[in-house]
Amino acid sequence: MTRQGRTSERFRAGTLPAPANVDDLVEHVADLAVVLGPDDVVEGISVNADCASLGSLDHWVGREFPAFLTEESRQKFAARRAMMKESPGSMSRPVELNHFDNATWEFPIRYTIHTLKDSASVLLIGRDMQPIAEVQQRLVKEQQARERDQQKLRRGETFFRVVLEASETPMVLVDPESGRIHDVNTAGASLLGTKTDMLDGNAFSQCFEGRRRSEFMDALQTAASSEEVRSMELIARRNGREIGLIPQYFRAAGELFLLCRLSSMDDEQAGGSEVTQSLAALFSATSDAIVMTDSKGVIRDANEAFLILTDAAQLRDVKEKSLGDFLVRGAVDLKLILDASMKKGRMRSYAAQISSVVGTRATVDISAARLRQRGGDLGYGFIIRDVTQSEAVDTDPGAAAVSEDAMRNVMDLVGTASLKELVSATSDVVEKMCIETALQLSGNNRVAAAEMLGLSRQSLYVKLRKYGILSVDAES
């Protein structure tokens, strides 16, 4: 009995009557037909000539059919045979069984099981599922490949985001056609005075003062197309900083984009980003209070040491307030410091007292400097050092000695003068000391000293003559 032997002959081997055209019928209906005896031994088999992948299965004849099934399919086949024996007349639903042969070769077959009239044998008509399984496997492989590609894309995007954010160079990616921002890192957004989510999708030209979109993009593309590296100097709209911009083209997925590298002109003048970072670290870490104000002394920024000195919980508690609000002598001290810094560019030392938000006071020594850049003033910078423990208030030794001698002279009058006369003499001594201190603090500026003491200019001159402080040169 050969592999492609006539089906009728094999059926006759199972004592089954077969019409003349049963061979053609079975071979057209099935890829594989198997006749099983009552004990599930293969009595006959036919393989469709068009299913060459199944090979020769003649060696199945005379052997138990479950011996060529996988373990899972054996259980499935046994359950289906038991169901058919319990209900012989019931229609059998198709069942998919996985065959294995020659130890490693596996192939799936979809069977319909039919009982044969006047016989205990059954006919299994099978459809080879290998082509469908192969298609399914290809689909699974394609899906897995697609998922791997998506993972690569996500990994590449993650790498891009990490590198972009980790870069200390401020960068902006711009669509050259629309002129809108495609992406920007945190350093770039910070330099422009805002956050990344506020810039995505916005017109890049809106970030700068006095720039129209069409003209700005033409200048940007011209600079990017130039053979030489050309930097554009711009003014950021949000914070007024001078910014240098170097554009260059790059292509991604067939589309052109502009990579714009930004730099602060102030940083370049200060010696580069390393110096800027060092100054920023010093600003945060120093134990001396540092305050930045505008030209009128209104606080724009302050470090942690100033917040501690003033007992402020956070920067917003002091920001936008006048520095004079935290000085005991208020606007008088602030005016003296600003005037001296305006004239000389800096003030080396000024003794004052700081009043905290809860009312406590601390003696401090203040240094100030006028801050300038190209195009105008940036305001003033103050370094405030707490000298409460040492009470390091700079005074004129000569003035202090005169004051001590004056107090000693007053004490010598005890017993020789009335209390009223002693009090009057003491008041004169204290008044003279206050006037001398005010002159010393104001740098001998009589207008400022009069304002500090709450006197008119004429009254101050009267007292200066009274105590012999006003020199002859000054009077003339």
Side-chain angles (χ1 to χ4, degrees):
M1 189 175 295
T2 63
R3 179 176 70 84
Q4 300 295 340
R6 301 297 295 176
T7 307
S8 58
E9 294 177 357
R10 294 188 176 89
F11 284 2
R12 282 195 293 273
T15 66
L16 298 175
N21 61 348
V22 70
D23 297 335
D24 295 335
L25 177 63
V26 171
E27 289 182 2
H28 280 86
V29 170
D31 295 326
L32 176 64
V34 182
V35 177
L36 302 182
D39 53 358
D40 293 333
V41 173
V42 178
E43 297 179 346
I45 189 169
S46 175
V47 179
N48 193 318
D50 294 333
C51 296
S53 61
L54 295 178
S56 176
L57 301 178
D58 286 343
H59 58 284
W60 285 19
V61 179
R63 300 176 65 181
E64 292 184 353
F65 181 72
F68 300 98
L69 297 175
T70 62
E71 183 62 33
E72 179 183 358
S73 295
R74 288 177 191 173
Q75 298 175 6
K76 190 186 298 185
F77 178 72
R80 184 58 56 86
R81 289 286 283 143
M83 184 185 301
M84 292 182 63
K85 289 178 181 179
E86 292 177 0
S87 303
S90 63
M91 289 294 294
S92 174
R93 297 190 306 275
V95 59
E96 291 186 9
L97 302 177
N98 290 324
H99 289 282
F100 73 90
D101 200 359
N102 297 329
T104 58
W105 179 43
E106 293 188 14
F107 54 94
I109 302 293
R110 183 182 179 90
Y111 287 106
T112 55
I113 305 177
H114 305 272
T115 58
L116 299 178
K117 187 176 180 180
D118 300 329
S119 174
S121 300
V122 294
L123 172 63
L124 277 64
I125 297 179
R127 176 68 64 184
D128 186 9
M129 302 299 292
Q130 288 185 88
I132 298 177
E134 290 174 357
V135 171
Q136 291 176 340
Q137 289 177 358
R138 285 199 297 271
L139 290 175
V140 170
K141 290 180 179 179
E142 290 178 2
Q143 179 64 25
Q144 292 174 344
R146 187 177 296 107
E147 291 178 354
R148 287 194 296 270
D149 291 341
Q150 290 177 351
Q151 289 176 355
K152 289 180 180 179
L153 288 175
R154 286 195 296 268
R155 186 164 58 248
E157 184 177 357
T158 301
F159 287 161
F160 164 74
R161 296 303 314 172
V162 170
V163 172
L164 186 66
E165 287 300 317
S167 174
E168 296 179 358
T169 302
M171 290 185 288
V172 182
L173 304 181
V174 181
D175 185 342
E177 293 186 3
S178 65
R180 295 189 176 276
I181 296 175
H182 184 271
D183 213 334
V184 57
N185 63 357
T186 301
S190 177
L191 184 60
L192 294 172
T194 185
K195 298 181 180 179
T196 55
D197 55 358
M198 299 295 291
L199 291 176
D200 287 342
N202 290 347
F204 192 33
S205 59
Q206 294 180 353
C207 297
F208 306 103
E209 290 286 354
R211 296 287 178 169
R212 293 183 179 180
R213 180 184 299 187
S214 57
E215 296 176 357
F216 176 73
M217 290 307 301
D218 288 344
L220 205 63
Q221 294 180 27
T222 300
S225 303
S226 175
E227 295 181 357
E228 299 178 358
V229 178
R230 297 177 59 182
S231 176
M232 301 173 58
E233 294 187 3
L234 307 163
I235 303 295
R237 176 173 294 178
R238 289 178 172 84
N239 55 18
R241 299 185 67 175
E242 293 189 18
I243 293 176
L245 188 154
I246 300 177
Q248 70 178 81
Y249 279 113
F250 75 96
R251 190 177 296 276
E255 296 184 18
L256 277 177
F257 287 91
L258 281 169
L259 172 63
C260 301
R261 290 175 293 169
L262 309 180
S263 61
S264 172
M265 304 298 289
D266 300 332
D267 291 345
E268 292 177 0
Q269 293 173 8
S273 59
E274 184 176 353
V275 174
T276 303
Q277 294 175 5
S278 299
L279 291 176
L282 176 63
F283 179 83
S284 301
T286 182
S287 59
D288 292 336
I290 300 178
V291 181
M292 313 299 292
T293 72
D294 62 11
S295 58
K296 296 182 180 180
V298 176
I299 297 174
R300 294 191 302 191
D301 201 359
N303 66 351
E304 184 70 15
F306 183 75
L307 301 183
I308 295 174
L309 185 62
T310 57
D311 292 325
Q314 47 195 342
L315 180 60
R316 68 182 183 186
D317 293 337
V318 300
K319 195 173 182 180
E320 304 302 332
K321 293 183 179 180
S322 174
L323 180 59
D325 294 344
F326 300 95
L327 297 172
V328 172
R329 288 190 291 263
V332 175
D333 278 342
L334 182 61
K335 186 176 185 303
L336 291 173
I337 297 173
L338 295 183
D339 288 347
S341 301
M342 174 71 75
K343 294 176 181 178
K344 301 179 181 179
R346 65 180 61 86
M347 172 175 276
R348 185 181 300 275
S349 178
Y350 183 87
Q353 283 192 323
I354 288 287
S355 178
S356 71
V357 294
V358 296
T360 59
R361 296 185 178 186
T363 303
V364 296
D365 183 74
I366 302 176
S367 299
R370 186 182 180 188
L371 307 179
R372 298 180 180 180
Q373 69 167 5
R374 290 185 303 174
D377 289 343
L378 291 176
Y380 294 90
F382 298 82
I383 298 178
I384 305 173
R385 175 168 297 174
D386 187 356
V387 292
T388 303
Q389 294 182 354
S390 60
E391 294 293 330
V393 180
D394 292 337
T395 57
D396 185 359
V402 171
S403 299
E404 291 177 2
D405 291 341
M407 290 299 297
R408 191 176 300 109
N409 293 334
V410 171
M411 294 305 176
D412 291 340
L413 294 177
V414 176
T416 63
S418 65
L419 179 60
K420 183 177 180 180
E421 293 173 338
L422 290 174
V423 172
S424 177
T426 304
S427 299
D428 290 343
V429 171
V430 173
E431 189 174 62
K432 182 180 179 183
M433 289 176 60
C434 291
I435 293 173
E436 290 174 340
T437 302
L439 290 172
Q440 188 269 329
L441 289 175
S442 63
N444 207 33
N445 186 327
R446 293 174 177 79
V447 176
E451 185 176 354
M452 187 183 300
L453 295 169
L455 299 173
S456 66
R457 185 176 180 182
Q458 184 177 1
S459 298
L460 178 61
Y461 272 88
V462 170
K463 294 183 180 296
L464 291 176
R465 293 188 185 95
K466 175 182 176 180
Y467 299 117
I469 301 175
L470 186 64
S471 65
V472 176
D473 294 338
E475 288 186 288
S476 60

